[in-house]
Amino acid sequence: MLAYLIRRVLWMIPMLIGISLISFFIMHLAPGDITSSEAAFDPKSSEESRQKLRELYHLDKPIIVQYGLWLERMVHLDFGHSFASHQKPVFWAETDKEGNTTPGMIQEALPITLLMNITGLMLTLILAVPLGVVAAKKYGRWPDRSITLFNFIGFSIPGFWLSLLLMYWLGVIHPWFPISGLHSLNYAQLDFWQKCQDLLMHLFLPVVIPAITGLAGVTMFIKNGMLDVLSQDYVTTARAKGLSDRTVTYRHALRNALLPLITLIGLSLPGLIGGSVIAETIFAIPGMGKLFYEAVMMRDFPVVMGILTIGSALTLAGNLLADLAYAWADPRLRKGVIPQR
Amino acid sequence: MAYLLCAGLVACSTDTPDHSAKVFDQSYPAQPGGTLISAMPSDPSSMIGMVAGESASLAIGSYLFNSLLKYDQNLDLAGELAESWQVADDKKTITFKLKPGLQWADGKPLTSADILFTWQLITDENTHSPYASDYQLVTKAEAPDAHTFIVHYSQPFAPALESWASLQVLPKHKLAGQDIRTTSFAQKPLGSNYYQLKEWRHGEYIKLEKNPKSVLGSANIDHLIERIIPDTAAQFLELMADNIDSMSMDPITYARIIPSRPALQARLNQFKELGNSYTYLGFNLKRKPFDDVRVRKAINYAIDKQEIIDGVYLGLGITIASPYKPGTRWSNPDLIPYTFDPAKAKQLLAEAGFEDTNGDGVVDRDGKKLSFEILTNLGNKQREKTAVIIQRRLKEVGIETHIRTLEWASLLTNFIKPGDFDAVVMGWGLGLDPDQYNIWHSSQQKPGQFNFIGYNNPAVDKLLEQGRLEFDPEKRMQIYHEFAEVLYEDSPLVYLSAGYGLTAIHKRVQGIMNPVPPAGVSYDSQKWYIPQPLRRTQIQAE
């Protein structure tokens, strides 16, 4: 198991280099650079100064040289500075000679996105597992039909539409929740518990809405998994042994039905890290999705590469965790299959 | 799409009359205090606008920093930090005398050394300011004493005065010896204007508080908060929920949604002001048949500009005949916008040798159809719709067009810069100085420069050169009126419209100039006030 783990971790290095190389080249295939952003199309700015800016950022050099320079910095875990946001550090905070600290862009955005998306995923799972189990157990009867109908609605509602609808009803008509943003304007004056409450209130709509729209898929996934498992011989055997329906459903069937869910969660990891551009834009939340989108539109290459690199590293780590969780959940994998991979 | 949905939601809802509305219609005497909350679509990248080069930074910077000169409400130059300024007889030297007793928010004196330092900073190679070029024309700048700042030019340069109204003066004692591109000053600035930065939560909001040492006196409103809300539908919901006091609007909100909602109308004042920008259909003059003035004029006559203003901007715009804001001294009042006259268009096309010889509905010359591509940038719905209306009208006079929308950077890099286009629907936002050398002078056609349509007219070149040498506003006006006339006759582009800037401001904010002066709704915003009974209780607690 340990050897497997070490091998998997070592494999991540060439994988990361490969991903970064492809990302770097694809990113530079898009026309334009930081000097062709909208603000630069100002008759008061001159082409000479834009050219000098290109030289400063090495954008005048061949792509392979630029990649080499980037990789050289990355070896020292230096993610560089943003072109567009006044040279803010891409990844981690920096302190200057006077002791002033400038926070890193990813450092600021990542916790927000993780908090939002992990809470959303938890909420989805908490709701989806019982719904999926009920739908499978009552297959073809009214609980299953209502859940299926709910799923259809969930599948077909566009997230942004539901967002605006709920923002209007729960923010304007009945002002129970904040409409946008992450903190109240008087956040700094609040005590610890008030701060927590403030954050939760602000996160309610941006977390619940993607959870509702994502619920449909996961519920169907669990329902189908349960239906599969419930028709297996070992479930029939368990029932024949006289075990209670509850024990059969939750201890024997559900545990096996949940196995593929680990893969599903593993696959959703990049989304958790990358964030959602639409939700973050509508709710004015300064998370990774918005940061990435803006960086791409501004051709802010260090930020784009920083997010892609950290995103890939976390995704690879997440996949590894998912595999380990799978092995933990399924003793067959732990005992036999893994060492042969 | 999101916006339409929001509009739909608002239209469907039942509208309960707001009983507090009566309170907002009362007028109160000016009093200090209160908090004004606005929304802006993106976070500024820095508080040093001249280095950042984007509008959000310059806008926030204008609350914090001062310039030597400013524009008064009628867009004439007035002193800000400067008490007076004098242009030497040879027009190559400008001497500014500073007001007495100027100081920074930390109490340190603001002197001509700060202005000299700011000039040095902007023109320094390592600063990489996109706006350095005007300041690089200064051959020598000096600060002989604390109240005097003198600049020398190798030849007269009339737009110089405008440039000194744009330069936000930075404190030498905070920035000397620092790397301007990485300094933490960009996040924690120190200024001299009405406000100073209190808190900046990146991507969320910027809080400004009154600067008690402001060099221009005291502002009425204690706190200004700019919330960063990228989505206009979300901004509008926040405005409806009374969480923000002002936002910029699009024509649909201004002309349709707010007027249909009594409760909103009772709480909001709406302002419209003619912006300093215009939309145009520009031709690639280096390509056939756009090198033929008759074809350009025919296209100009074939397009119904009022139809575009009514259809796309819901009537919130006006037609123009020169590249200047109508009503200002630089706009030539004798020029009347090209009328919509398809018959004349057809006649001009015929004169240019274009006829529909094969009966396919498209005119042709030497066996070649008059067909071209109109490019515009993706994401600007108003320009996309404009292009569609143009396409329909041109088809009626036998011109075939294809519309192509492209992402901004791609449009600039692949098409505008190499000059690989037939026609474009784009816009120019203009400074307040009439000089348009960079856009129209024949020397400005290299890739990346702004005369990308390839306009080349020696008469215009001469006028633009003259305009740069002339400081007398009356004489300058004559020059630019003549310049606009030549352009009008040449029709190198079709002026489509100048749109209105539309703003909604909560009625709790009083003291706003109405009607809006030429300098815009936010002119003299330090005189705005929020009377005690109309303030928000939540913010008041601060």
Side-chain angles (χ1 to χ4, degrees), chain B residues 311-454:
Chain B
V312 179
Y313 300 94
L314 303 178
L316 294 163
I318 56 168
T319 55
I320 54 166
S322 78
Y324 294 108
K325 183 172 172 170
T328 60
R329 72 161 85 222
W330 312 119
S331 166
N332 186 340
D334 300 333
L335 299 179
I336 295 152
Y338 277 70
T339 47
F340 172 54
D341 192 344
K344 199 159 181 176
K346 283 181 186 161
Q347 180 202 327
L348 280 163
L349 285 175
E351 277 174 31
F354 281 100
E355 270 174 77
D356 185 6
T357 49
N358 55 7
D360 65 349
V362 180
V363 295
D364 51 81
R365 183 172 72 181
D366 308 330
K368 233 183 137 200
K369 283 198 292 186
L370 179 41
S371 167
F372 63 90
E373 190 175 62
I374 302 175
L375 299 182
T376 193
N377 57 307
L378 193 71
N380 189 326
K381 288 282 165 221
Q382 293 174 332
R383 286 185 193 165
E384 287 172 28
K385 286 180 199 164
T386 301
V388 172
I389 294 174
I390 291 173
Q391 185 178 46
R392 213 260 327 253
R393 284 295 179 199
L394 291 187
K395 192 180 171 196
E396 284 171 5
V397 295
I399 300 172
E400 183 184 72
T401 53
H402 304 278
I403 299 169
R404 192 163 166 198
T405 51
L406 290 146
E407 190 256 345
W408 181 258
S410 165
L411 175 67
L412 285 198
T413 314
N414 293 348
F415 298 91
I416 300 292
K417 237 174 151 179
D420 184 15
F421 65 92
D422 296 329
V424 287
V425 172
M426 281 173 71
W428 277 123
L430 302 167
L432 295 172
D433 190 86
D435 176 42
Q436 294 192 7
Y437 186 90
N438 293 345
I439 300 176
W440 298 106
H441 198 273
S442 59
S443 67
Q444 304 297 305
Q445 296 183 23
K446 287 194 270 300
Q449 291 186 317
F450 295 103
N451 184 1
F452 57 84
I453 60 170

Side-chain angles (χ1 to χ4, degrees), chain A residues 72-295:
Chain A
E72 193 188 327
R73 281 208 323 268
M74 280 309 298
V75 172
H76 305 99
L77 283 181
D78 175 5
F79 286 81
H81 294 88
S82 161
F83 291 167
S85 293
H86 197 83
Q87 298 282 302
K88 274 179 83 176
V90 169
F91 182 47
W92 203 253
E94 279 178 4
T95 308
D96 66 6
K97 280 174 261 168
E98 281 86 40
N100 295 309
T101 305
T102 314
M105 297 171 88
I106 294 175
Q107 179 200 1
E108 280 188 314
L110 188 59
I112 298 168
T113 299
L114 281 178
L115 176 68
M116 230 172 81
N117 291 337
I118 290 177
T119 327
L121 182 68
M122 304 281 258
L123 192 68
T124 309
L125 291 181
I126 289 168
L127 294 173
V129 172
L131 282 176
V133 172
V134 170
K137 293 252 323 164
K138 309 279 180 191
Y139 182 65
R141 279 182 279 164
W142 72 264
D144 174 41
R145 286 182 186 182
S146 10
I147 291 168
T148 308
L149 181 69
F150 174 78
N151 283 343
F152 269 120
I153 297 171
F155 266 129
S156 46
I157 288 183
F160 81 93
W161 185 82
L162 189 67
S163 303
L164 286 170
L165 198 74
L166 291 182
M167 281 158 93
Y168 184 61
W169 285 103
L170 301 178
V172 180
I173 297 293
H174 307 288
W176 295 333
F177 294 100
I179 296 167
S180 66
L182 196 59
H183 300 96
S184 292
L185 294 172
N186 59 346
Y187 185 76
Q189 280 100 32
L190 304 177
D191 65 30
F192 177 74
W193 292 112
Q194 286 171 323
K195 278 184 180 168
C196 292
Q197 191 195 350
D198 185 67
L199 194 62
L200 282 177
M201 293 294 277
H202 277 87
L203 280 178
F204 181 82
L205 290 177
V207 165
V208 165
I209 291 161
I212 293 175
T213 45
L215 187 62
V218 184
T219 306
M220 293 299 277
F221 192 80
I222 290 170
K223 176 187 154 184
N224 292 337
M226 276 301 275
L227 282 177
D228 257 4
V229 172
L230 284 174
S231 61
Q232 298 280 322
D233 289 346
Y234 69 87
V235 173
T236 318
T237 313
R239 286 193 204 283
K241 274 164 68 183
L243 291 177
S244 72
D245 183 49
R246 205 181 160 77
T247 314
V248 172
T249 310
Y250 293 102
R251 190 169 300 164
H252 294 276
L254 182 60
R255 192 166 165 186
N256 285 308
L258 287 184
L259 274 179
L261 196 64
I262 295 174
T263 315
L264 190 75
I265 295 172
L267 288 175
S268 68
L269 278 166
L272 296 187
I273 299 150
S276 150
V277 179
I278 294 169
E280 286 175 12
T281 304
I282 290 179
F283 290 103
I285 290 173
M288 293 286 276
K290 201 162 136 256
L291 183 66
F292 188 63
Y293 176 74
E294 280 167 6

Side-chain angles (χ1 to χ4, degrees), chain A residues 43-46 48-49, chain B residues 129-138 438:
Chain A
K44 281 191 201 162
S45 70
S46 68
E48 289 78 33
S49 46
Chain B
S129 167
Y131 303 117
S133 55
D134 276 2
Y135 305 98
Q136 280 163 344
L137 296 173
V138 174
N438 293 345

